[in-house]
């Protein structure tokens, strides 16, 4: 006979339903973990890969926590190959409660949005477009306390254009201990994954002019520098660092991609760590499914003898056990992929402060499907081949 009695697959899985359920569940958990861990890795990598190719970041050579004098800006702007320079100061504050911590940066309101035009889209509410962006920039320049916030951040706290937002500082405290107040004049949506979705940008002069009478000029954390098109960034980097080699504060200049990579490295070797965990779990599940199918193969030896006595070829058990393994892994893999897609929204909210651009890429889901099918093939062929080796008489005598 050439036809395969496929109904036996359904019967055998149903007969050992609890074992089948555990196998599907373990594979679903492994695929889910693989998708989530790999998505963390790909999201971190995309932050570096999508960084601007014509932008460099100037920081202190000692540490990112050591500031630079304000007058470095004019000197950097005079370096050949430099197009625009903006201050970039971490503020370090929270909204109402410490748990509402998010990034705030003081920037140069005159040139910042020109420098980052290709990185973010400005809008007012749901309105977007060149005219809206121009209006937002004009409002930002007109109001000393103006602020632009990410659309995701505005949605989280229900902020609207015209709202005054109090931020409690952790670094730049006023002598009277009062909060800093910022007026929301617009929102932004990132055009690159390297741009944080939950950030507030406000005017550096507001920070400096408020604190200067009390504490003196505010130093700058980093300078963001756009290089001229076609001018080698490596030359700009070496010229800037050579300019300040004798101080008063030496600098370390790097491409935006390299600067982003330093933050990833500060978290440790996460790609290796997560990759090892995901790989180990998948290998463990592979052996688990293979063991399950070998048990199923030993239980099917008697069935193999009956089928061969009825005229079926010996390879019929290979097809049946392969189909059984594939059905289990397709169900488990599909369930794991579905759960990861559903959990992605919640995971993005949880990881918002650590990995704001978290997303499960289509190729991650494709690899999860391929791995699931691969496990099914490996787990089904071996036991099927073992069961097909028995002669009909020997198979019929087996218990």
């Amino acid at each position: 006979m050439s036809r395969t009695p496929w109904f036996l697959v359904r019967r055998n899985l149903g007969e050992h339903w609890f074992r089948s359920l555990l196998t599907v569940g373990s594979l679903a958990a492994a695929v889910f973990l693989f998708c989530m861990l790999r998505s963390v890795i790909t999201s971190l990598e995309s932050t570096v890969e999508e960084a601007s190719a014509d932008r460099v970041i100037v920081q202190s050579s000692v540490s990112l926590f050591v500031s630079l004098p304000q007058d470095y800006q004019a000197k950097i702007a005079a370096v050949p190959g430099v197009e625009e320079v903006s201050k970039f100061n971490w503020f370090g504050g929270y909204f109402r409660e410490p748990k509402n911590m998010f990034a705030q940066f003081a920037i140069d309101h005159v040139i910042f949005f020109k420098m980052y035009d290709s990185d973010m889209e400005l809008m007012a509410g749901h309105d977007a477009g060149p005219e809206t962006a121009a209006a937002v920039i004009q409002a930002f320049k007109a109001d000393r306390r103006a602020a632009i916030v990410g659309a995701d951040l505005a949605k989280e706290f229900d902020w609207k254009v015209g709202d005054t937002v109090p931020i409690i500082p952790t670094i730049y405290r006023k002598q009277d201990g009062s909060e800093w107040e910022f007026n929301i004049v617009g929102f932004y949506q990132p055009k690159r994954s390297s741009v944080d979705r939950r950030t507030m940008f406000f005017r550096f002069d507001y920070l400096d002019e408020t604190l200067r009478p009390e504490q003196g000029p505010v130093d700058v954390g980093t300078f963001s520098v756009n290089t001229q098109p076609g001018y080698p960034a490596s030359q700009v980097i070496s010229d800037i660092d050579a300019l300040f080699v004798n101080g008063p504060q030496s600098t370390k200049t790097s491409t935006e991609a390299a600067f982003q990579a330093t933050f990833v490295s500060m978290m440790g070797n996460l790609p290796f760590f997560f990759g090892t965990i995901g790989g180990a779990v998948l290998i463990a599940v592979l052996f688990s499914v293979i063991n399950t199918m070998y048990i199923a193969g030993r239980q099917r030896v008697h069935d193999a003898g009956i089928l061969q006595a009825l005229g079926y070829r010996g390879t019929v058990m290979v097809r049946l056990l392969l189909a059984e393994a594939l059905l289990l892994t397709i169900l488990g893999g599909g369930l794991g992929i579905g759960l990861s897609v559903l959990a992605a929204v919640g995971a993005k909210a949880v990881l918002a402060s650590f990995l704001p651009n978290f997303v499960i890429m289509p190729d991650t889901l494709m690899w999860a499907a391929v791995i699931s099918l691969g496990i099914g093939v490996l787990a089904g062929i071996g036991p099927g081949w073992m069961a097909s080796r028995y002669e009909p008489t020997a198979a019929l005598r087996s218990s």
Side-chain angles (χ1 to χ4, degrees):
M1 294 185 182
S2 59
R3 295 182 61 187
T4 303
W6 298 112
F7 71 91
L8 291 177
V9 174
R10 184 178 68 251
R11 188 209 69 178
N12 293 332
L13 290 176
E15 184 178 331
H16 301 281
W17 63 270
F18 189 65
R19 183 176 68 197
S20 301
L21 187 63
L22 289 177
T23 303
V24 169
S26 62
L27 185 61
V31 170
F32 172 80
L33 189 60
F34 168 80
C35 290
M36 301 304 287
L37 292 179
R38 189 172 190 273
S39 296
V40 171
I41 296 172
T42 56
S43 298
L44 286 171
E45 290 174 346
S46 68
T47 299
V48 177
E49 291 169 358
E50 294 193 20
S52 176
D54 59 355
R55 184 175 300 130
V56 299
I57 307 298
V58 183
Q59 67 175 84
S60 167
S61 62
V62 178
S63 167
L64 190 59
F65 301 102
V66 176
S67 300
L68 301 172
Q70 283 190 41
D71 61 10
Y72 273 26
Q73 184 169 8
K75 297 176 182 178
I76 294 171
V79 171
V82 171
E83 187 173 61
E84 301 284 359
V85 185
S86 174
K87 304 178 189 71
F88 223 88
N89 250 47
W90 170 266
F91 182 73
Y94 57 86
F95 176 60
R96 293 179 178 168
E97 301 177 70
K99 67 177 183 179
N100 296 329
M101 178 81 74
F102 56 88
Q104 307 105 26
F105 286 100
I107 48 87
D108 282 307
H109 62 283
V110 176
I111 58 175
F112 176 80
F113 296 109
K114 178 184 176 182
M115 290 179 61
Y116 284 80
D117 179 64
S118 62
D119 296 68
M120 59 179 66
E121 179 183 26
L122 298 178
M123 54 190 184
H126 299 291
D127 298 329
E131 292 183 0
T132 302
V136 170
I137 293 172
Q138 186 61 37
F140 193 81
K141 292 179 179 180
D143 186 352
R144 184 166 166 269
R145 300 193 302 175
I148 305 283
V149 300
D152 290 4
L153 187 66
K155 183 178 180 181
E156 179 180 343
F157 295 118
D158 194 28
W159 292 340
K160 298 177 178 60
V161 172
D163 287 352
T164 297
V165 177
I167 299 296
I168 301 172
T170 58
I171 300 174
Y172 295 103
R173 293 186 172 91
K174 301 178 183 179
Q175 284 188 348
D176 61 5
S178 62
E179 303 169 337
W180 290 77
E181 292 187 338
F182 300 95
N183 301 324
I184 305 297
V185 298
F187 312 113
Y188 73 87
Q189 282 284 11
K191 295 181 181 179
R192 303 176 190 260
S193 63
S194 56
V195 179
D196 190 350
R197 295 175 175 272
R198 300 179 72 258
T199 297
M200 170 186 285
F201 296 102
F202 66 95
R203 292 171 49 154
F204 181 87
D205 59 350
Y206 174 39
L207 176 69
D208 184 52
E209 291 170 8
T210 302
L211 295 181
R212 186 180 286 263
E214 302 172 355
Q215 305 173 19
V218 175
D219 286 337
V220 181
T222 62
F223 291 100
S224 182
V225 181
N226 276 11
T227 60
Q228 294 174 2
Y231 204 95
S234 58
Q235 185 61 51
V236 174
I237 289 171
S238 61
D239 288 347
I240 291 175
D241 289 341
L243 186 63
F244 303 110
V245 69
N246 294 320
Q249 183 64 248
S250 60
T251 60
K252 175 186 175 183
T253 307
S254 56
T255 63
E256 187 178 62
F259 185 75
Q260 297 278 12
T262 60
F263 286 95
V264 176
S265 63
M266 287 169 65
M267 302 171 192
N269 195 349
L270 288 183
F272 175 78
F273 180 66
F274 285 166
T276 300
I277 293 176
V281 170
L282 286 174
I283 291 173
V285 170
L286 168 63
F287 286 130
S288 174
V289 177
I290 289 176
N291 182 63
T292 298
M293 294 313 300
Y294 266 103
I295 294 173
R298 287 195 295 271
Q299 293 172 338
R300 307 288 189 274
V301 170
H302 192 74
D303 292 351
I306 295 175
L307 290 173
Q308 291 183 61
L310 291 173
Y312 288 94
R313 297 173 182 174
T315 55
V316 68
M317 289 309 297
V318 177
R319 294 192 293 274
L320 288 174
L321 286 171
L322 180 59
E324 189 173 326
L326 283 172
L327 183 57
L328 287 172
T329 53
I330 288 173
L331 289 173
L335 181 60
I337 290 172
L339 288 174
S340 65
V341 172
L342 291 175
V345 177
K348 185 173 181 178
V350 172
L351 298 172
S353 58
F354 160 67
L355 197 61
N357 62 324
F358 176 84
V359 65
I360 298 180
M361 301 296 291
D363 66 326
T364 296
L365 301 179
M366 181 195 70
W367 274 111
V370 169
I371 290 171
S372 299
L373 291 174
I375 290 175
V377 171
L378 291 174
I381 287 180
W385 178 76
M386 179 191 72
S388 68
R389 291 176 59 204
Y390 285 86
E391 293 295 328
T393 52
L396 288 168
R397 285 197 300 267
S398 68
S399 58

